[in-house]
Amino acid sequence: MNKYKILIAGGDMRQIYCAERLSKEFEIRIIGFDRESIPDSIKLSFANISSTKKYDCIVLPVSPIDDNGNIYTPCSSENLHPKVLQGLLTEKPFIFTGQASEKLKVAFQNAKFRDYLQSEELNIKNAIPTAEGAIQLALEELPVTLNGLKVLVVGMGRIGSVLVKILQGFGADISTAIHSPRGSAKARLFGVKTVSTKHLGTNYDLVFNTVPKLIFDRNILERFNKHTLFIDLASKPGGIDFEAAHDFGLKIIWALSHPGKTAPVTSGEIIAETISSMLEERNDDIE
Amino acid sequence: MNKYKILIAGGDMRQIYCAERLSKEFEIRIIGFDRESIPDSIKLSFANISSTKKYDCIVLPVSPIDDNGNIYTPCSSENLHPKVLQGLLTEKPFIFTGQASEKLKVAFQNAKFRDYLQSEELNIKNAIPTAEGAIQLALEELPVTLNGLKVLVVGMGRIGSVLVKILQGFGADISTAIHSPRGSAKARLFGVKTVSTKHLGTNYDLVFNTVPKLIFDRNILERFNKHTLFIDLASKPGGIDFEAAHDFGLKIIWALSHPGKTAPVTSGEIIAETISSMLEERNDDIE
Amino acid sequence: MNKYKILIAGGDMRQIYCAERLSKEFEIRIIGFDRESIPDSIKLSFANISSTKKYDCIVLPVSPIDDNGNIYTPCSSENLHPKVLQGLLTEKPFIFTGQASEKLKVAFQNAKFRDYLQSEELNIKNAIPTAEGAIQLALEELPVTLNGLKVLVVGMGRIGSVLVKILQGFGADISTAIHSPRGSAKARLFGVKTVSTKHLGTNYDLVFNTVPKLIFDRNILERFNKHTLFIDLASKPGGIDFEAAHDFGLKIIWALSHPGKTAPVTSGEIIAETISSMLEERNDDIE
Amino acid sequence: MNKYKILIAGGDMRQIYCAERLSKEFEIRIIGFDRESIPDSIKLSFANISSTKKYDCIVLPVSPIDDNGNIYTPCSSENLHPKVLQGLLTEKPFIFTGQASEKLKVAFQNAKFRDYLQSEELNIKNAIPTAEGAIQLALEELPVTLNGLKVLVVGMGRIGSVLVKILQGFGADISTAIHSPRGSAKARLFGVKTVSTKHLGTNYDLVFNTVPKLIFDRNILERFNKHTLFIDLASKPGGIDFEAAHDFGLKIIWALSHPGKTAPVTSGEIIAETISSMLEERNDDIE
């Protein structure tokens, strides 16, 4: 089998680090970046639009198309239209992206789309930079140490588990709020106190929410101390009534997009590893 | 809704502790135990066979029927035939057991069978006594401390994860052998070294296997030091070629049934909690 | 025995939080702060200079006197001269401060000086905000996760031990550099790899130094990767040749004063707890 | 300098493992062991009593002399009198032992005695096998998992700290009883609850005592549940009133001598490492 030729098209610095990691295994070209936006230590080649070389795969950013119908290229001063990419592809290419819109499917009719955000591998691995970014926020915002702090972690899924593990290293006083026998069993494993999401106490200094369900409604928020810091890591619409929180003067940070910003290298490498696993599984599909 | 009337029939000490825990929520009677086999501190009532009271549920041991067709009653000097139980049940009872054989289904034709071994809750929780039992074995068998020991944990599922967490507390020098991107992601979370199950090294003092696949075949076992201790926690047929191991003089302990023996109270309570969750979910089914 | 009357004079926000904590046990007044510099949630009374009330103790900041001979009062727009304090004291007062200079001893001739920086209790407790502040710096500076990162911790004293514990929670790949059998024994306890400070490798992404001895000289620094981040927590002159590091383009952060800034509440409370313990031990000295 | 010639004389299996480890650095002979008591895998030479070879050092067991005035040799069927050793020594030999009695000093008048039990290195390292042995006892004795168990650790010295670290890996519900600001600070670091030794609660399933002071007197013991297991690791006379405990039917295990038994290899190696460090420091003393 031939080595894949892969084109990394647009996106932020994560895609650059993704490209660098993939270049250890595959033939990689990039497009949609200004040369100055790339650190000197990174050696990557730009795609030559006028060449006849064809690519087997394109890697697009999570949200690939901007409002004007161009590829999302925050690291480039020029626009990149999907049409430019069409001429660079083999007949049945793979397109890796976060979510393939109808527009995108029309633009690349022969392509097979792969959503790397759906990969379990990526989601487990991404829990780590997400949790670390949240811990960084807490350290920056709070005038006290995490050691000894009364912390509530809502949800014992991937992100919740990583948070608990990190907080135990700090020696925080951790409680977890769980809503299933499964979550309860996982909390038991970590040796932390559990409360039911239905009977939450309010005596915490710091709350991490990871559950995308309205748990912190006006009634509950009203009873919290004003010094409590809330960090919401749940996907939209999050788990906290922001308006009510605002009314009570509570501080809330919605931080799900944080990981890409605080650890772009790791985030980019995780995307690369996921794409690499996906291509490996699919070796049979391509002749 | 009425409180369930539940009959605990046979099994080892775990079933006694299961009965005790369930008696906090339900009306419980036991059968298939000698009075002397029950610790003084436990207050449980025996079922009266001649009474007209009917039970909604029976809890049977994991392997309910012995070779003679009787209920498995290791804590009783008398036999207990399934027929005896039939007369004690309501018309559409629930039967909780590990695996319902055809024989059993014939014996209780109107019953709905529930396999508590299939519960995810039970399996997550059971990982804990299983792992603790394995650690106890290692402590007993080895003339060295777990601290600093070169340990290989094969598999990062439930039991593997608990083992890694405990071994980190001891300060062991842990490697994990993994065979999927998912396992690799979990090992990363715990911060332990990983090797592929395809390229195992052999320089370990202690190996815990949790994967029910023949990983340690004659070729690999031949290269291990003779002092290495293997503890196999995988369900049958385990992951180690016992005959080859025997030929090479390696010490192997097959330890899956261990947890019930070393922590019968916890094991019994886990069964009770699982049955309680199952009944809660099923409240609608019974009128 | 009477409750002590204590005057908190000058210093930064830590002294305010120190005052607040002490006010739970003692009669506290403050001086050397602008009213606006104190958060609304904190209830503290200012000393009345013209009153005849006398104080048994003064708490001064760590470096009590500024270059002009005034008390160090960064939270005040007015100067505070030691003479002002003299009139407020009992005949044989206690003065708590970091280091009593000759000038200070002359200014308060009848006072007994107590250096709270010398307290073992304070030093153990301070290791926590110091280590947390260093971790925060690392999270902010690095574009990668701490999880999986190759980290070297130099020294296994108080700060080194806390760093190792926190980094284990993150799942970092930790080595410790030690220079005594005692340090080696402590590293063994935590289950981390050790290298001798005499034979340091250079393949690390992040280095925390806690040893106040020149370990990272020109020869060693030359061999490090340029991306390595050094965080020096040793008291002056630190353990890294800054000039050489600068020549090689290495990034170094000297971070010992960090904890007071990132966790002023905890730092202030630690000072308060230390002073409280010191007063308790000394109850016999005062009639 | 010449390589030391060292004679290992008597003691249990720990001394054999000590000899093996020392033989990597020094010239080692053993005496006071039956050949059959030594595992096949260990290669050690016996001292030849009639040879003219002289030894620079002797390593004796912790309690070197038995009631009959012979060297303590539990692994030998023959007696070994100190006189036999005298003829094998250089003029000013070193004697390593646990505690040099007057009798011993008379028997070896020219010798310098070194008490390896006083070494801080040994004491830190020994905390590990001691704690692991105690955990093994708890696993063996208790019918429940350590996970979730209410455990009290009395004292946060070396052994207490290792116990807490291991128990955290198990996910136990840990409290520590402390009696100094220093212990309190260490407990804070580990993130565990603290109680004062003066106001102990009694609601625990398992108690590890490491403090050699009578903390558990008749008054306190009376209030404990009968199912509580006490493991006393304090040096004599321990911290528990055994008679009172017996009267109340409480189960107590006095376990300080345990580590040598459960991890003799590690214990022997720790003695060897300590002796090696002691000889290194003393290189100047011997010409």
Side-chain angles (χ1 to χ4, degrees):
Chain A
M1 198 211 68
N2 288 322
K3 213 172 150 184
Y4 289 115
K5 294 181 187 62
I6 304 179
L7 186 62
I8 312 292
D12 60 24
M13 287 307 292
R14 277 175 286 186
Q15 302 303 99
I16 291 293
Y17 297 115
C18 171
E20 192 190 21
R21 167 61 66 98
L22 286 173
S23 71
K24 291 177 187 166
E25 283 182 82
F26 305 106
E27 189 180 330
I28 298 293
R29 292 291 181 281
I30 63 173
I31 190 167
F33 300 88
D34 289 345
R35 196 166 290 273
E36 308 81 70
S37 67
I38 300 170
D40 287 346
S41 59
I42 293 181
K43 306 291 168 221
L44 287 170
S45 306
F46 281 82
N48 182 347
I49 303 181
S50 48
S51 151
T52 59
K53 187 197 287 271
K54 300 293 184 189
Y55 295 91
D56 307 303
C57 313
I58 301 187
V59 176
L60 295 175
V62 170
S63 301
I65 303 282
D66 67 18
D67 294 345
N68 301 317
N70 291 311
I71 302 292
Y72 174 64
T73 55
C75 297
S76 168
S77 50
E78 289 176 38
N79 287 336
L80 175 63
H81 197 271
K83 270 190 193 161
V84 177
L85 300 178
Q86 286 163 14
L88 297 169
L89 294 173
T90 54
E91 263 181 47
K92 293 191 167 184
F94 279 90
I95 297 185
F96 292 93
T97 182
Q99 54 214 97
S101 63
E102 273 317 299
K103 227 182 250 179
L104 201 71
K105 286 182 179 163
V106 169
F108 299 96
Q109 292 193 350
N110 295 323
K112 297 184 189 175
F113 287 88
R114 304 294 182 198
D115 185 348
Y116 50 79
L117 282 193
Q118 295 306 315
S119 151
E120 192 188 12
E121 179 186 353
L122 180 135
N123 281 300
I124 297 180
K125 289 182 177 172
N126 253 1
I128 294 171
T130 302
E132 291 199 11
I135 294 291
Q136 178 181 330
L137 273 174
L139 286 168
E140 287 168 350
E141 292 290 330
L142 293 169
V144 292
T145 54
L146 291 180
N147 182 275
L149 202 70
K150 291 180 82 67
V151 184
L152 178 68
V153 176
V154 184
M156 275 300 279
R158 286 161 193 148
I159 296 173
S161 302
V162 183
L163 282 171
V164 165
K165 190 162 174 300
I166 295 175
L167 289 166
Q168 287 185 320
F170 276 97
D173 179 3
I174 309 164
S175 300
T176 54
I178 49 93
H179 55 147
S180 71
R182 191 173 186 280
S184 164
K186 285 186 70 179
R188 180 188 289 203
L189 195 154
F190 279 96
V192 286
K193 285 169 281 186
T194 56
V195 293
S196 161
T197 50
K198 286 169 197 158
H199 306 97
L200 282 182
T202 58
N203 185 20
Y204 300 103
D205 305 307
L206 173 60
V207 176
F208 292 103
N209 178 55
T210 70
V211 177
K213 245 173 59 179
L214 187 61
I215 290 172
F216 295 91
D217 58 19
R218 189 170 283 271
N219 280 335
I220 287 190
L221 288 173
E222 191 171 14
R223 287 155 37 217
F224 269 89
N225 291 328
K226 284 199 179 164
H227 76 263
T228 310
L229 174 66
F230 290 80
I231 297 181
D232 195 348
L233 296 159
S235 49
K236 276 182 185 165
I240 303 170
D241 181 337
F242 268 53
E243 207 181 290
H246 183 260
D247 292 350
F248 300 131
L250 293 167
K251 174 146 202 182
I252 295 182
I253 304 177
W254 198 70
L256 193 61
S257 60
H258 209 67
K261 290 173 201 153
T262 57
V265 173
T266 305
S267 298
E269 289 177 350
I270 290 171
I271 297 172
E273 291 166 15
T274 305
I275 290 172
S276 176
S277 292
M278 285 173 142
L279 284 173
E280 205 171 303
E281 285 167 16
R282 235 156 254 149
N283 258 344
D284 312 331
D285 299 12
I286 305 183
E287 270 88 12
Chain B
M1 198 211 66
N2 288 321
K3 213 172 153 187
Y4 290 114
K5 295 182 185 63
I6 303 179
L7 185 62
I8 312 291
D12 59 24
M13 287 306 292
R14 277 176 288 187
Q15 302 304 98
I16 291 293
Y17 297 115
C18 170
E20 192 190 21
R21 167 63 64 98
L22 286 173
S23 70
K24 294 178 185 165
E25 284 182 81
F26 306 105
E27 189 180 330
I28 298 292
R29 291 292 181 280
I30 61 173
I31 191 169
F33 299 89
D34 288 346
R35 196 168 290 273
E36 309 83 70
S37 67
I38 299 171
D40 286 346
S41 58
I42 294 180
K43 307 288 168 225
L44 287 170
S45 305
F46 282 80
N48 182 349
I49 304 180
S50 48
S51 151
T52 59
K53 187 197 285 273
K54 300 293 183 190
Y55 296 90
D56 308 302
C57 313
I58 302 188
V59 176
L60 296 175
V62 171
S63 301
I65 303 283
D66 68 18
D67 294 345
N68 302 317
N70 291 312
I71 301 291
Y72 174 66
T73 55
C75 297
S76 169
S77 50
E78 288 176 39
N79 287 337
L80 175 63
H81 197 270
K83 270 190 194 160
V84 178
L85 301 179
Q86 286 163 14
L88 298 168
L89 294 173
T90 55
E91 262 183 47
K92 293 192 170 186
F94 280 90
I95 298 186
F96 292 93
T97 181
Q99 54 215 95
S101 61
E102 274 316 298
K103 229 183 248 179
L104 202 70
K105 287 182 178 163
V106 169
F108 299 97
Q109 292 193 351
N110 295 324
K112 296 185 189 173
F113 287 88
R114 303 295 181 197
D115 184 348
Y116 50 78
L117 283 193
Q118 296 305 315
S119 151
E120 191 188 11
E121 179 185 355
L122 180 134
N123 281 299
I124 297 179
K125 289 181 177 172
N126 253 0
I128 294 171
T130 303
E132 290 200 11
I135 294 291
Q136 178 182 330
L137 273 175
L139 286 168
E140 288 168 350
E141 292 290 329
L142 292 170
V144 291
T145 55
L146 290 180
N147 181 275
L149 203 70
K150 291 180 83 67
V151 183
L152 178 68
V153 176
V154 184
M156 276 298 281
R158 286 160 193 145
I159 297 174
S161 302
V162 183
L163 282 172
V164 164
K165 191 161 174 300
I166 295 175
L167 289 166
Q168 287 186 320
F170 277 98
D173 179 5
I174 309 163
S175 300
T176 54
I178 49 92
H179 56 148
S180 72
R182 193 172 184 281
S184 164
K186 286 185 70 179
R188 181 188 289 203
L189 195 154
F190 279 95
V192 286
K193 285 168 281 185
T194 56
V195 293
S196 162
T197 49
K198 287 171 197 158
H199 306 97
L200 282 181
T202 57
N203 185 20
Y204 300 104
D205 304 309
L206 173 60
V207 175
F208 292 103
N209 178 55
T210 70
V211 177
K213 243 171 61 176
L214 187 62
I215 290 172
F216 294 91
D217 58 19
R218 188 168 284 270
N219 280 334
I220 287 190
L221 288 173
E222 190 171 13
R223 286 155 36 216
F224 269 89
N225 292 328
K226 285 199 177 162
H227 76 264
T228 310
L229 174 66
F230 290 80
I231 297 180
D232 196 349
L233 296 159
S235 50
K236 275 183 186 167
I240 302 171
D241 181 338
F242 268 53
E243 205 182 291
H246 183 260
D247 292 349
F248 300 132
L250 293 167
K251 174 147 202 180
I252 295 182
I253 304 177
W254 198 71
L256 193 61
S257 60
H258 208 67
K261 290 172 201 152
T262 57
V265 174
T266 304
S267 297
E269 289 177 349
I270 290 172
I271 297 172
E273 292 167 15
T274 304
I275 288 171
S276 175
S277 293
M278 284 172 142
L279 284 173
E280 206 169 302
E281 287 166 16
R282 232 156 257 151
N283 257 344
D284 312 331
D285 300 12
I286 305 183
E287 269 91 11
Chain C
M1 198 213 65
N2 287 321
K3 211 172 152 187
Y4 290 114
K5 295 182 185 62
I6 303 180
L7 185 63
I8 312 291
D12 59 23
M13 287 306 292
R14 277 175 287 187
Q15 302 304 97
I16 291 293
Y17 297 115
C18 170
E20 193 191 22
R21 167 62 65 98
L22 286 173
S23 69
K24 293 178 187 166
E25 284 182 82
F26 306 106
E27 188 179 331
I28 298 292
R29 292 290 180 279
I30 61 173
I31 190 167
F33 299 88
D34 288 346
R35 196 167 289 274
E36 310 82 70
S37 68
I38 299 171
D40 286 347
S41 59
I42 293 179
K43 305 290 168 225
L44 287 170
S45 306
F46 281 82
N48 182 350
I49 303 181
S50 47
S51 151
T52 59
K53 185 198 288 272
K54 301 292 185 190
Y55 295 90
D56 308 302
C57 312
I58 302 188
V59 176
L60 296 175
V62 171
S63 300
I65 304 282
D66 68 18
D67 294 344
N68 302 317
N70 291 311
I71 301 291
Y72 174 64
T73 55
C75 296
S76 169
S77 50
E78 290 174 38
N79 286 338
L80 176 63
H81 196 271
K83 271 188 193 161
V84 179
L85 302 180
Q86 286 163 16
L88 298 169
L89 294 173
T90 54
E91 262 181 49
K92 292 192 169 183
F94 280 90
I95 298 186
F96 291 93
T97 181
Q99 54 214 94
S101 62
E102 273 317 299
K103 228 182 250 179
L104 201 70
K105 287 182 178 163
V106 170
F108 298 96
Q109 291 193 351
N110 294 325
K112 295 186 189 174
F113 286 88
R114 303 295 182 199
D115 184 348
Y116 50 79
L117 283 193
Q118 295 306 314
S119 151
E120 191 188 12
E121 178 185 354
L122 180 133
N123 280 298
I124 297 179
K125 288 182 177 171
N126 254 359
I128 293 171
T130 302
E132 290 199 12
I135 294 291
Q136 179 182 331
L137 273 174
L139 286 167
E140 287 168 351
E141 292 289 330
L142 293 169
V144 291
T145 54
L146 290 179
N147 181 274
L149 202 70
K150 291 179 82 67
V151 184
L152 178 69
V153 176
V154 183
M156 277 298 280
R158 285 160 194 146
I159 298 174
S161 301
V162 184
L163 282 172
V164 164
K165 190 160 174 303
I166 296 175
L167 289 166
Q168 287 186 321
F170 277 98
D173 179 5
I174 309 164
S175 300
T176 54
I178 48 92
H179 55 147
S180 71
R182 191 172 185 282
S184 165
K186 285 186 70 180
R188 181 187 288 204
L189 195 153
F190 278 95
V192 286
K193 285 169 281 184
T194 56
V195 292
S196 163
T197 49
K198 287 170 196 159
H199 305 97
L200 282 182
T202 58
N203 185 21
Y204 300 103
D205 304 309
L206 173 61
V207 176
F208 291 103
N209 179 56
T210 70
V211 176
K213 243 172 61 177
L214 186 62
I215 290 171
F216 295 91
D217 58 19
R218 188 168 284 270
N219 280 334
I220 286 190
L221 288 173
E222 191 171 12
R223 287 154 36 215
F224 269 89
N225 293 327
K226 284 199 177 162
H227 76 262
T228 311
L229 175 66
F230 290 80
I231 297 180
D232 196 350
L233 296 160
S235 49
K236 275 184 185 166
I240 302 171
D241 181 337
F242 268 53
E243 206 182 291
H246 183 260
D247 292 351
F248 299 132
L250 293 167
K251 174 147 202 180
I252 296 182
I253 303 177
W254 199 70
L256 193 60
S257 61
H258 208 68
K261 291 172 200 153
T262 56
V265 174
T266 305
S267 298
E269 289 177 349
I270 290 171
I271 296 172
E273 292 166 15
T274 305
I275 288 171
S276 176
S277 292
M278 285 172 142
L279 285 173
E280 205 169 304
E281 286 165 17
R282 231 157 257 149
N283 258 344
D284 314 330
D285 300 12
I286 305 183
E287 270 93 9
Chain D
M1 197 212 66
N2 288 322
K3 214 172 149 184
Y4 289 114
K5 294 182 186 61
I6 304 179
L7 186 62
I8 312 292
D12 60 22
M13 287 307 292
R14 278 176 286 187
Q15 302 303 99
I16 291 293
Y17 297 115
C18 170
E20 193 190 20
R21 167 61 66 98
L22 285 173
S23 70
K24 292 178 186 166
E25 284 182 81
F26 305 106
E27 190 179 330
I28 299 292
R29 292 290 181 281
I30 61 174
I31 191 166
F33 298 90
D34 288 346
R35 196 167 290 272
E36 309 79 71
S37 68
I38 300 170
D40 287 345
S41 59
I42 293 180
K43 305 292 167 221
L44 287 170
S45 305
F46 281 82
N48 181 349
I49 304 181
S50 48
S51 150
T52 60
K53 187 196 288 269
K54 300 292 185 190
Y55 295 91
D56 308 302
C57 313
I58 301 188
V59 176
L60 296 175
V62 170
S63 300
I65 303 283
D66 66 18
D67 294 346
N68 301 318
N70 291 312
I71 301 292
Y72 174 63
T73 55
C75 297
S76 169
S77 49
E78 290 175 37
N79 287 337
L80 176 63
H81 197 271
K83 270 190 195 161
V84 178
L85 301 178
Q86 286 163 15
L88 297 169
L89 294 173
T90 55
E91 264 181 45
K92 293 192 167 184
F94 280 90
I95 297 186
F96 292 92
T97 182
Q99 55 215 94
S101 62
E102 272 318 298
K103 227 184 251 178
L104 201 69
K105 286 182 179 164
V106 168
F108 299 96
Q109 293 193 349
N110 295 324
K112 297 184 188 173
F113 286 87
R114 303 294 181 200
D115 185 347
Y116 51 79
L117 282 194
Q118 296 305 314
S119 152
E120 192 188 12
E121 179 186 353
L122 180 134
N123 281 299
I124 297 179
K125 289 182 177 171
N126 254 0
I128 294 171
T130 302
E132 290 198 12
I135 294 291
Q136 178 182 331
L137 274 173
L139 286 168
E140 287 168 351
E141 292 290 331
L142 293 169
V144 292
T145 54
L146 291 180
N147 182 276
L149 202 71
K150 292 181 82 67
V151 183
L152 178 69
V153 175
V154 184
M156 276 299 279
R158 286 161 194 147
I159 296 173
S161 302
V162 183
L163 282 171
V164 165
K165 190 161 174 300
I166 295 175
L167 289 166
Q168 286 185 321
F170 277 97
D173 179 6
I174 309 163
S175 300
T176 55
I178 48 92
H179 55 147
S180 71
R182 191 173 186 280
S184 164
K186 285 186 71 178
R188 180 188 290 205
L189 195 153
F190 278 96
V192 286
K193 285 169 281 184
T194 56
V195 292
S196 161
T197 50
K198 287 170 197 158
H199 306 97
L200 281 182
T202 58
N203 184 20
Y204 300 103
D205 304 307
L206 173 61
V207 176
F208 292 103
N209 178 55
T210 71
V211 176
K213 246 174 57 180
L214 186 62
I215 291 172
F216 295 91
D217 58 19
R218 188 169 284 271
N219 280 334
I220 287 190
L221 288 173
E222 190 170 14
R223 288 155 36 216
F224 270 88
N225 291 328
K226 283 198 180 163
H227 76 264
T228 310
L229 174 66
F230 290 79
I231 298 181
D232 196 348
L233 296 160
S235 49
K236 276 183 185 166
I240 303 170
D241 181 338
F242 268 53
E243 207 182 290
H246 183 260
D247 291 350
F248 299 132
L250 292 167
K251 174 147 202 182
I252 295 183
I253 304 177
W254 199 70
L256 192 61
S257 61
H258 208 68
K261 289 173 201 151
T262 58
V265 173
T266 303
S267 298
E269 289 177 349
I270 290 172
I271 297 172
E273 291 166 16
T274 305
I275 289 172
S276 176
S277 293
M278 284 172 142
L279 285 173
E280 206 170 303
E281 286 166 15
R282 231 157 258 150
N283 257 344
D284 314 330
D285 299 12
I286 305 183
E287 271 90 12

